[in-house]
Amino acid sequence: MIKQKLNSIRKYLRIYWLYFKQYWKTRLVYKMDFTVGFVAQLVNLGASLAFLTLLFTQVENINGRTFNEMLFLAGIGGFIMNFHHIFLFNMFHLEDYIVEGKMDRFLVRTLRPLFQVYADDVSDNNISKLIANSALIVYSANQIGMN
């Protein structure tokens, strides 16, 4: 039973990877659009970090939390939110698929419809934030002594 589940997960990860590669092939046709979105998200994250840094130049701690602890919390929250926005956000478009009559293309295929809805679109603008938040988690975890 477990082996069958693992094979199924492996199969769907492989299929998702193929969807993902296809999405990137179409997305990178417009390289400048991707680059501008990537940089804009980094600027957005930089402004958030600048605000946090400015705030902690005025106070030593907030409710007992130090600057690095707040960086860690911001990194964890940002990582989870951006992971959701990149890979799972398309779920909010399910209603649009149904109302506009586009759901049949998922229903006639042999793959599970919900998987296809998730795999249909990737929000790549948040990838820079996901990478930056990962670095923020690693940096702040080292600063506060987490192993």
Side-chain angles (χ1 to χ4, degrees):
M1 170 107 173
I2 293 175
K3 189 173 183 176
Q4 184 181 8
K5 289 283 185 188
L6 287 174
N7 285 336
S8 179
I9 290 171
R10 209 173 291 127
K11 170 189 162 189
Y12 277 99
L13 285 174
R14 193 180 91 251
I15 293 170
Y16 190 86
W17 176 247
L18 293 173
Y19 268 89
F20 193 73
K21 279 186 0 183
Q22 187 61 33
Y23 173 80
W24 277 99
K25 287 177 187 175
T26 60
R27 184 70 172 113
L28 290 178
V29 169
Y30 305 102
K31 289 180 177 84
M32 197 62 188
D33 181 47
F34 172 77
T35 305
V36 168
F38 192 88
V39 170
Q41 292 297 329
L42 283 179
V43 168
N44 181 304
L45 183 64
S48 298
L49 291 176
F51 172 75
L52 197 59
T53 304
L54 178 66
L55 182 66
F56 273 94
T57 60
Q58 303 300 316
V59 295
E60 190 171 312
N61 65 48
I62 296 176
N63 200 19
R65 300 208 187 272
T66 65
F67 174 69
N68 288 318
E69 291 171 336
M70 292 297 279
L71 277 181
F72 183 76
L73 291 174
I76 291 286
F79 181 86
I80 292 168
M81 183 181 70
N82 289 302
F83 183 85
H84 172 265
H85 283 302
I86 292 168
F87 299 107
L88 307 173
F89 198 71
N90 205 35
M91 178 45 93
F92 293 111
H93 298 290
L94 183 60
E95 179 184 357
D96 298 335
Y97 287 127
I98 295 169
V99 170
E100 295 171 8
K102 296 178 181 177
M103 190 67 182
D104 353 347
R105 71 181 170 132
F106 301 129
L107 298 174
V108 297
R109 296 179 187 160
T110 57
L111 295 173
R112 296 175 187 256
L114 186 59
F115 169 78
Q116 293 180 73
V117 169
Y118 279 128
D120 192 47
D121 189 25
V122 176
S123 177
D124 58 356
N125 286 335
N126 292 313
I127 288 178
S128 58
K129 278 187 171 180
L130 187 72
I131 295 167
N133 279 306
S134 299
L136 196 61
I137 291 168
V138 170
Y139 169 78
S140 59
N142 284 332
Q143 293 298 312
I144 60 178
M146 292 177 73
N147 293 333

